[in-house]
Amino acid sequence: MQFFNGTRLGSFLQTLLYITGVPLQTGDHRTGTGPGGLGPSVGLGPSVSASVATRGLLSLSLGLSSDLGGSNLGNGNFNYTRCYGVLGCIRMKYPRQRGFELFPQEVSVIRPSVCLFVSADRRCQPLEPDEAAIRRLFLGGQPSTDRTQPPFAPTPPASAFASPTSFWITHGYLENGHRTWLHEMVGELLTHDPAANVFVIDWGKGAEPPYTQAATNIEVVGAYVGYLMSLLDDLCGLRTSAAHFIGHSLGAHMGGVVGSWLRARGYVLGRISGMDPAQPYFELFPPDARLDSSDALFVDVIHTDASPLLHGGTLTGLGTQEPCGHADFYPNAGRDQPGCNDGVVQAIVQEKGSFLYGLRRFFGCNHIRAVEYFLESIRSNNTCAFAAYACESYEALERGECVVSCNRAEEGQGNCNRMGFHAKKPRLSPRAFGAVDGVPQQHWRTGDGEEVSVKDSVLYYSMTGTRAPYCRESK
């Protein structure tokens, strides 16, 4: 099915989808072995309302090398590497397969900011990429020397961390740090763990159109966040291994960039939760070009928008269907979410009367639903388990062929787990399900219907309600 190519209707629909934040991709985008084994240049990002001083941003981008030039696909003389000062060098990944070649914009252009929120003071406290500023903010100017004690001693007016736990939240394309869901998540996380440190990453200027540039910008923003994490680990004892990165859409893949940047420098990221990772220019690409289970000690993913935008068409959904974590959750088969066909008026109402965000919600309802599920999973810890089950397929779950009982002692060990914040790393490999209770080895289907064996992920299926609260599995 063609997407009205060359017609006014087609132009109108493509323009509408573009301005509402829906990237377009049609056809086969699988990769071969491109020149040099180049990796991803797509990105995700968040935005925070805080204005971080530019001090330090210019120094991060010093050492820039190689000019972009014109179109150089297939040009053997083109330099596919560009360096960004202390953030390191970034190699353009799979430009031939993606059909474009772009480097991330400079940090001084994107101007990412990171805000810290703690229970004692829920106002934004800007985090700067500067050792002296970090010591002033967290240690009152004094480095931590006793690593046997909590890493942050209360030293007013500096922020005092009572716990080494940290959460890092980020958004995706066409969003920024003002989005309501980001601040709702900050509140839910601090309610769940009052001693936690919650960081919100704002890279709104880097998340602007075109989508290809925004997707590329996650590479440098992810390196920027990794650099901040490493400074906090070195200076303050806030361990990267205790950090939990939570990202939506392009932001989910940014978590993969952060994890790989840290791993290359001897650190390890504790956990990444991907909320419907972006599909265009990521799905079916090698692991170094997208979020992958190797990017953190535990990677869990919620898939909600893998269906084509037009029935029978080639215009892909916004989220990936491909498993990319240790635990991949597919509520309602990871495709059409209940309640997402209620019309544009209802979407505008849900966005508090905003026409633009209402349109985005209408067109991207399935994509946004992953955020809503994750938010609800934090607050519903004592009321609903968001239970999900590993079985052959979602259709098998609908037919009642899966074991659908689960208690906390079994979560992550057998064929059950909890979707969202309380998910646990599976203790069984996906191939183990071929010998447990007669459950066949797990598979997933690509957009063109090809069945692929699962190698590294355990796939969990569940059902949700039409309206919040979405969880249908009571304890």
Side-chain angles (χ1 to χ4, degrees):
M1 172 179 172
Q2 297 298 315
F3 190 55
F4 307 107
N5 288 339
T7 68
R8 290 186 178 181
L9 177 58
S11 298
F12 170 75
L13 288 175
Q14 293 191 28
T15 301
L16 180 61
L17 291 172
Y18 177 79
I19 65 174
T20 53
V22 180
L24 302 179
Q25 178 173 320
T26 61
D28 190 359
H29 52 279
R30 300 176 189 227
T31 62
T33 52
L38 308 178
S41 44
V42 211
L44 330 162
S47 256
V48 178
S49 57
S51 131
V52 174
T54 58
R55 178 162 50 93
L57 293 182
L58 290 176
S59 66
L60 289 178
S61 59
L62 292 178
L64 189 64
S65 66
S66 90
D67 295 325
L68 273 173
S71 176
N72 291 280
L73 291 180
N75 184 344
N77 297 321
F78 185 67
N79 188 346
Y80 285 99
T81 300
R82 172 172 283 186
C83 298
Y84 296 80
V86 296
L87 301 184
C89 298
I90 295 175
R91 186 166 175 80
M92 198 182 294
K93 298 173 182 176
Y94 306 103
R96 180 173 297 174
Q97 289 77 16
R98 285 193 163 123
F100 63 88
E101 52 180 26
L102 290 170
F103 283 112
Q105 294 172 299
E106 297 180 39
V107 174
S108 58
V109 173
I110 299 174
R111 297 171 65 89
S113 63
V114 177
C115 275
L116 165 66
F117 297 89
V118 293
S119 291
D121 185 354
R122 296 199 179 187
R123 294 173 300 176
C124 166
Q125 300 179 67
L127 178 64
E128 300 176 27
D130 178 83
E131 292 187 16
I134 287 176
R135 286 197 173 98
R136 283 196 303 272
L137 183 60
F138 301 127
L139 304 172
Q142 300 299 320
S144 177
T145 56
D146 188 355
R147 294 300 177 89
T148 65
Q149 299 299 318
F152 299 96
T155 312
S159 298
F161 289 155
S163 165
T165 302
S166 64
F167 299 99
W168 300 71
I169 316 172
T170 193
H171 64 76
Y173 182 53
L174 287 185
E175 291 195 317
N176 56 45
H178 295 281
R179 295 296 288 135
T180 301
W181 72 263
L182 284 166
H183 297 283
E184 287 181 354
M185 191 169 292
V186 169
E188 294 295 342
L189 290 170
L190 289 176
T191 298
H192 171 77
D193 184 358
N197 322 290
V198 183
F199 299 88
V200 179
I201 309 157
D202 180 352
W203 61 286
K205 288 192 67 66
E208 295 173 351
Y211 174 81
T212 49
Q213 183 64 66
T216 304
N217 285 342
I218 63 165
E219 292 284 334
V220 73
V221 179
Y224 176 83
V225 174
Y227 178 69
L228 286 174
M229 285 187 178
S230 68
L231 284 179
L232 290 173
D233 189 303
D234 294 342
L235 299 174
C236 311
L238 190 64
R239 301 301 180 214
T240 62
S241 59
H244 182 177
F245 190 100
I246 305 168
H248 176 237
S249 189
L250 283 179
H253 293 294
M254 182 186 288
V257 175
V258 174
S260 61
W261 190 95
L262 290 171
R263 185 177 66 248
R265 290 156 180 81
Y267 302 89
V268 62
L269 183 57
R271 178 179 173 186
I272 301 172
S273 291
M275 300 179 292
D276 207 33
Q279 190 271 4
Y281 306 117
F282 290 101
E283 185 158 289
L284 299 180
F285 278 83
D288 67 332
R290 55 172 172 77
L291 177 63
D292 178 68
S293 59
S294 65
D295 294 324
L297 296 176
F298 175 35
V299 178
D300 60 294
V301 182
I302 300 176
H303 303 265
T304 56
D305 189 20
S307 289
L309 293 178
L310 293 178
H311 182 69
T314 58
L315 194 63
T316 59
L318 301 184
T320 178
Q321 174 123 357
E322 181 180 12
C324 49
H326 296 99
D328 284 78
F329 296 86
Y330 295 84
N332 311 296
R335 296 191 290 268
D336 300 316
Q337 303 305 308
C340 277
N341 296 314
D342 290 348
V344 68
V345 174
Q346 179 62 29
I348 293 173
V349 170
Q350 288 182 276
E351 289 292 345
K352 300 180 180 179
S354 170
F355 179 74
L356 178 59
Y357 282 122
L359 280 180
R360 292 190 66 219
R361 175 177 284 274
F362 175 68
F363 284 110
C365 178
N366 293 318
H367 197 43
I368 296 170
R369 190 60 63 85
V371 172
E372 297 172 333
Y373 292 158
F374 196 90
L375 261 171
E376 186 177 315
S377 74
I378 305 172
R379 68 171 68 105
S380 66
N381 182 37
N382 296 316
T383 58
C384 195
F386 256 119
Y389 306 94
C391 54
E392 180 183 2
S393 65
Y394 179 74
E395 291 70 26
L397 178 67
E398 286 186 306
R399 293 192 299 265
E401 298 174 2
C402 308
V403 177
V404 290
S405 62
C406 189
N407 59 57
R408 288 197 171 185
E410 298 171 334
E411 291 165 8
Q413 299 185 47
N415 77 324
C416 67
N417 209 328
R418 299 178 68 181
M419 181 176 72
F421 182 73
H422 299 285
K424 294 182 180 178
K425 186 175 182 178
R427 296 188 181 182
L428 295 176
S429 72
R431 294 185 181 276
F433 289 99
V436 176
D437 297 327
V439 178
Q441 179 179 312
Q442 292 188 302
H443 296 79
W444 68 282
R445 285 184 174 82
T446 65
D448 58 10
E450 180 184 350
E451 194 172 75
V452 181
S453 295
V454 175
K455 296 180 180 179
D456 302 312
S457 307
V458 175
L459 278 54
Y460 296 93
Y461 300 95
S462 63
M463 301 178 185
T464 69
T466 302
R467 294 275 186 278
Y470 297 105
C471 183
R472 290 177 53 181
E473 184 74 22
S474 298
K475 291 182 179 179

